[in-house]
Amino acid sequence: MKLNKFQTLIPLIAATLAFSNGLISAAIETAEHKKEIYEWRVYHFENGGQPWRVDQYYRDCLIPTLNEYGVKVGAFGEYGQTEPPTIYFLIVYPSLSDYQRIKNELWQNDDFLKKSKSYFNETADGGAYTRFESHLLEAFDGLPTFRQPPESRGLFELRTYESHNEEAGQRKIAMFNREELPLFDKVGLHPVFFGEVLAGPQMPALVYLLWFEDMEERNANWKKFVQSEEWNTMKVKPEYANTVSVVNKVFLLPKDYSQL
């Protein structure tokens, strides 16, 4: 029996539709699982440094330019006014590909280079800062995009959890994704971001930032957390044993030009 032209095309049409549906599904899945990339910078100064120059550079040059690319920047000083001071920046990129693209395009941006020329010229001979550390972080599955703090935020808490090995670190990340993040929300530990350290001086490690109105709220809500039934149940589960070796915490205050 002879097949007409339409009948011979049916398998090809079906295959084409299946392929197209696969591409659409893959695109949807990629969009749904797109996670932000964070660059956490820590600037150090010796006595005689010029932190005001770094503030001016970020406020007037770098942040306005990054905003044009859809990137937000948080700027923080240490709670307690340590001397010499330390300045912290959280740079929020939509994705890893955006991070790579923007990093390259920034140094081809004529407007940025013009605005920052005086800063670079004046600090090339005698630097404003000693050096800065850069930590590259990938957002957690449980919090793939950062949360914008309200205007009432007055205090931030930065925590870094180090692990003895990579597998232990992955189990701690799983603990946050599965159980701890919902509990943080419940007791008022307000997350800004959670990130796995992809590259940096402390590895393996994860980093997260919380906001509070003040130290009083911070202390009260951490007390709720450690006394909660949920925490005391999850912390003794064998799958979460020996996941953290060192906990570092720093309290921060937002600078007047911070976007977070």
Side-chain angles (χ1 to χ4, degrees), residues 28 56 85 118 139 153 180-181 208 226 247:
I28 293 173
Q56 186 179 58
S118 61
R153 89 282 190 261
E180 279 192 83
L181 280 170
Y208 65 91
V226 298
V247 175

Side-chain angles (χ1 to χ4, degrees), residues 10-11 48 93 98 115-116 137 157 159 163 170 197 225 243:
I10 289 176
Y93 295 92
D98 289 313
K115 287 190 296 187
S116 58
L137 315 169
E157 182 173 358
R159 287 198 167 212
S163 300
Q170 291 301 309
V197 180
F225 178 85
T243 54

Side-chain angles (χ1 to χ4, degrees), residues 63 73-77 87-90 253-255 257-260:
I63 291 178
V73 181
F76 312 91
I87 302 178
Y88 301 77
F89 296 97
L90 174 64
L253 299 175
K255 287 184 169 287
Y257 61 90
S258 178
Q259 298 181 324
L260 299 176

Side-chain angles (χ1 to χ4, degrees), residues 152-210:
S152 61
R153 89 282 190 261
L155 178 73
F156 290 85
E157 182 173 358
L158 175 72
R159 287 198 167 212
T160 303
Y161 289 3
E162 301 176 28
S163 300
H164 284 305
N165 60 47
E166 298 91 329
E167 187 272 343
Q170 291 301 309
R171 286 189 289 113
K172 183 59 183 177
I173 291 172
M175 184 178 182
F176 272 113
N177 283 327
R178 294 170 186 166
E179 302 191 56
E180 279 192 83
L181 280 170
L183 182 56
F184 271 42
D185 288 334
K186 180 180 177 179
V187 301
L189 299 177
H190 315 295
V192 178
F193 79 90
F194 276 77
E196 176 185 2
V197 180
L198 301 179
Q202 296 167 292
M203 295 184 69
L206 64 88
V207 177
Y208 65 91
L209 185 68
L210 309 174

